[in-house]
Amino acid sequence: MRNELSDFFGATFHQDWELEVSSPEDAIELFRKDASKEELKRLTQRIESELIASQLSDDELLDHLYSEFGSHYYTKGAGLSAREWLLRVVAQLRGER
C-alpha cells in the first residue's frame, strides 16, 4: 500500500522546500492543485486518524513527521504546535483556508 503520508510530507516539505516556495501554505497549495479529490480525502483522513489523534506528545509528533515521513518543516519556528499545524494542513487540503 502506498503511503500517502510519506508521499505528501516527504515530497512537499523536503529539505529544500523553502527554495521552491515562499511559505508552507504555498507548498500545500501546489500539492492540492495536482492531487485528485480521492487522494486528498485519503490523505486528510490519515493525517487526522494517524497523526492528530495519536497519543504522541507534540515533540514526539514533530520528530515522527521528520523521521518517519521526511518532513523538514519545523512547526515551532512558526509558533505552532505540530497538531495545530496539522489541523491547518487538513483545512487547507480540504479547501477551507
Side-chain angles (χ1 to χ4, degrees), residues 3-34:
N3 189 334
E4 290 95 358
L5 296 174
S6 293
D7 289 350
F8 173 70
F9 290 109
T12 305
F13 296 102
H14 57 82
Q15 74 182 58
D16 292 326
W17 73 270
E18 291 177 289
L19 298 175
E20 296 177 4
V21 293
S22 60
S23 71
E25 294 81 14
D26 289 348
I28 295 165
E29 193 59 29
L30 285 175
F31 178 88
R32 194 171 85 78
K33 286 181 180 178
D34 289 337

Side-chain angles (χ1 to χ4, degrees), residues 5-64:
L5 296 174
S6 293
D7 289 350
F8 173 70
F9 290 109
T12 305
F13 296 102
H14 57 82
Q15 74 182 58
D16 292 326
W17 73 270
E18 291 177 289
L19 298 175
E20 296 177 4
V21 293
S22 60
S23 71
E25 294 81 14
D26 289 348
I28 295 165
E29 193 59 29
L30 285 175
F31 178 88
R32 194 171 85 78
K33 286 181 180 178
D34 289 337
S36 71
K37 288 181 182 182
E38 186 57 37
E39 288 171 318
L40 293 171
K41 181 179 178 180
R42 277 194 315 269
L43 176 60
T44 57
Q45 288 173 337
R46 289 196 65 193
I47 291 172
E48 289 176 320
S49 66
E50 296 176 34
L51 299 175
I52 295 171
S54 78
Q55 297 299 313
L56 297 173
S57 71
D58 196 64
D59 286 338
E60 291 169 330
L61 184 54
L62 189 59
D63 183 60
H64 193 68

